[in-house]
Amino acid sequence: MNTREIKSVLIDYNSLAELDKTHQKLVQKAKDAAEKAYAPYSEFKVGAAVLLENGEIIEGNNQENAAYPSGLCAERVAIFYANSKYPNVAIKAIAVTANTDKGFIKEPIPPCGSCLQVMLESEKRSENSIEVLLYGEDKITVADSIKQFLPVNFNKDMLK
Ligand code: THU
């Protein structure tokens, strides 16, 4: 028997001012996107902003549906659009936040498993690590790669 211990590195910041201007702008775009979410059922409005290698920022937000499973998370709306518009441009970073009836979340939320799997695919596809910035008013959590959240993952290498 062999036990494997797996370590992930997440860095927490106390305020936006601690981030550089590019990352501050990306978080602001995610906040703007959250305000425009269509989330009448959960009332949990998530915003995502994707920074591409060409400098462009693509936003997305959760889109819910009366037939609940037909909706889609903010991260996947943004990533699928970015990959459909620029199939050969790598994603450098993604910022995510959420807004409720109490305003922006205090603690950051990690992306759901399905969104992480989609982000991992983008990372693998472009052979470029995607930085993740999770914004909450009291804390901003930053990771240098999707692999920090999915250290053990199923990916295209396994289909060979
Ligand atoms: N949601 C996201 O947009 N991203 C996540 O990573 C987690 C959850 C959305 C889905 C649904 O519209 C609402 O938040 C409540 O789960």
Side-chain angles (χ1 to χ4, degrees):
M1 194 196 84
N2 179 43
T3 303
R4 286 186 284 158
E5 252 183 67
I6 298 168
K7 184 175 136 189
S8 287
V9 179
L10 301 174
I11 301 168
D12 291 333
Y13 294 91
N14 296 317
S15 85
L16 262 187
E18 291 176 58
L19 304 182
D20 66 31
K21 293 277 174 242
T22 305
H23 290 115
Q24 285 181 26
K25 184 177 167 191
L26 195 64
V27 168
Q28 187 55 52
K29 293 272 186 190
K31 291 176 79 175
D32 294 346
E35 313 254 27
K36 291 182 262 179
Y38 178 64
Y41 305 105
S42 70
E43 295 181 2
F44 192 72
K45 296 162 88 177
V46 185
V50 166
L51 174 65
L52 299 172
E53 207 172 27
N54 65 9
E56 192 168 324
I57 292 175
I58 304 265
E59 295 165 37
N61 45 37
N62 51 334
Q63 297 295 316
E64 296 186 348
N65 193 284
Y68 292 177
S70 300
L72 197 62
C73 292
E75 296 91 322
R76 276 176 287 167
V77 169
I79 289 172
F80 286 149
Y81 182 52
N83 286 338
S84 65
K85 193 172 180 197
Y86 298 109
N88 300 315
V89 179
I91 293 175
K92 302 290 289 178
I94 181 167
V96 184
T97 191
N99 191 296
T100 70
D101 57 352
K102 297 185 199 79
F104 280 98
I105 49 171
K106 302 274 179 256
E107 288 291 311
I109 48 150
C112 78
S114 298
C115 288
L116 287 172
Q117 187 69 28
V118 166
M119 290 181 207
L120 181 79
E121 186 80 19
S122 290
E123 204 171 71
K124 283 266 171 194
R125 176 179 174 178
S126 63
E127 293 173 357
N128 168 84
S129 289
I130 300 176
E131 200 178 2
V132 183
L133 295 99
L134 305 173
Y135 174 84
E137 283 191 332
D138 292 346
K139 195 203 288 175
I140 302 137
T141 299
V142 177
D144 66 358
S145 165
I146 309 305
K147 290 193 203 101
Q148 302 294 355
F149 298 96
L150 277 185
V152 181
N153 56 69
F154 181 79
N155 62 71
K156 66 188 178 70
D157 301 340
M158 287 146 202
L159 295 175
K160 283 175 191 153

